[in-house]
Amino acid sequence: MQQFIVDAFTDQVFKGNPAAVCLPDRPLTDETMLNIAAENKLSETAFLTEEAGGYRLRWFTPEAEIDLCGHATLATAFVVLTILTPDKDEVAFQTQSGTLTVRREDGFFWMDFPAYDLTEVPVTDQMAEALGVRPTKAYLGRDLLCRLDREEEVRDLIPDQDKLADLDGLLVHVTARGEDYDMVSRSFGPKIGIAEDPVCGSGHCHIFPYWAGALDQTAFKGYQASARGGEIDGRLVGDRVQLGGQAALFSRSDIFLPDDERDE
């Protein structure tokens, strides 16, 4: 089985967020896909299969399947549009979050994703203890989004992973107004085996809608201030978020599975 590792939301390797993209040559069990993701030890491993003239896309963290992942979708679109079908500029994926389309425009890959509805929730002592700093505001969608006062607080954050796992939401995102970008953010997912996601696309389906209201604008340039770092562009169109970024191919390889690792 072919596997590609692509660094997403960057134009150079060793930056952005690495995702594995697997092209199964036979049906795989969920257990096998989870085992592969655990073996890769990346935030997400994507599995792309062809069906009825189109593509089915699934994403696995080292511990669980997830319903939406931006950087692994970008990585998969990069593989499809630059390696598998380089004559095309658009691809659609059937996923747990519906049909997701990705279009290549001037070297960027623009993904059309759903925006999460955010509900403001009280800032709690539990949040402050988990983050090591008290948020000024907090919102809950699929994930918990916490706004901090200053960019330096986001960059310098050293959260308590065990306490983060006790907070509401699947992931926890922190964000603040940026100096060189509209916002800077970081994303943490200890509940699904991700201490810190280097650049989180689905997180920006929370982050960009929040800042749309706070800044009264619909186009953004964000920076994910992880150790690897990564840039992510955004546009709000109705109840959808368009996420834009570049990608760089790190490796291509073959995975060798036992003969019984198949979906009977």
Side-chain angles (χ1 to χ4, degrees), residues 48-176:
L48 181 70
T49 55
E50 292 190 56
E51 58 176 41
Y55 291 107
R56 169 69 59 180
L57 182 60
R58 297 174 69 181
W59 312 276
F60 287 78
T61 78
E63 293 188 1
E65 184 172 11
I66 196 168
D67 64 345
L68 185 64
C69 177
H71 84 280
T73 301
L74 192 161
T76 306
F78 174 89
V79 170
V80 172
L81 297 177
T82 64
I83 298 174
L84 302 183
T85 58
D87 57 321
K88 295 184 179 179
D89 289 318
E90 184 170 307
V91 61
F93 302 116
Q94 301 304 316
T95 77
Q96 285 191 30
S97 293
T99 301
L100 304 179
T101 60
V102 186
R103 182 167 182 80
R104 179 170 49 192
E105 298 177 10
D106 299 324
F108 271 66
F109 295 86
W110 284 94
M111 302 176 288
D112 183 60
F113 275 24
Y116 284 104
D117 292 326
L118 299 176
T119 301
E120 187 167 5
V121 295
V123 173
T124 64
D125 292 341
Q126 186 182 20
M127 295 176 190
E129 291 173 3
L131 295 172
V133 62
R134 192 172 191 87
T136 57
K137 293 181 179 293
Y139 300 84
L140 191 62
R142 183 197 69 178
D143 307 334
L144 180 65
L145 174 65
C146 295
R147 177 173 177 174
L148 305 185
D149 274 331
R150 298 179 295 110
E151 177 177 338
E152 291 77 12
E153 291 178 321
V154 174
R155 291 181 177 273
D156 296 341
L157 199 70
I158 304 177
D160 185 309
Q161 293 288 330
D162 291 334
K163 292 181 178 179
L164 281 181
D166 291 333
L167 298 179
D168 291 335
L170 186 64
L171 285 81
V172 178
H173 311 288
V174 295
T175 188

Side-chain angles (χ1 to χ4, degrees), residues 176-250:
R177 192 77 168 91
E179 294 182 7
D180 298 322
Y181 297 87
D182 291 310
M183 75 289 294
V184 294
S185 309
R186 290 173 67 190
S187 301
F188 307 94
K191 290 181 182 177
I192 53 175
I194 302 170
E196 180 169 4
D197 200 18
V199 189
C200 186
S202 64
H204 281 78
C205 294
H206 300 72
I207 294 166
F208 284 149
Y210 165 72
W211 285 107
L215 299 178
D216 192 26
Q217 65 188 63
T218 57
F220 312 93
K221 181 173 283 292
Y223 184 74
Q224 196 99 45
S226 64
R228 293 176 64 98
E231 295 183 346
I232 180 168
D233 289 12
R235 304 186 294 222
L236 256 65
V237 181
D239 61 353
R240 307 288 291 182
V241 180
Q242 294 182 356
L243 306 175
Q246 296 175 287
L249 179 64
F250 173 68

Side-chain angles (χ1 to χ4, degrees), residues 30-43:
D30 289 1
E31 181 182 7
T32 297
M33 288 187 279
L34 187 57
N35 285 339
I36 293 170
E39 186 82 4
N40 283 332
K41 292 183 174 63
L42 299 173
S43 294

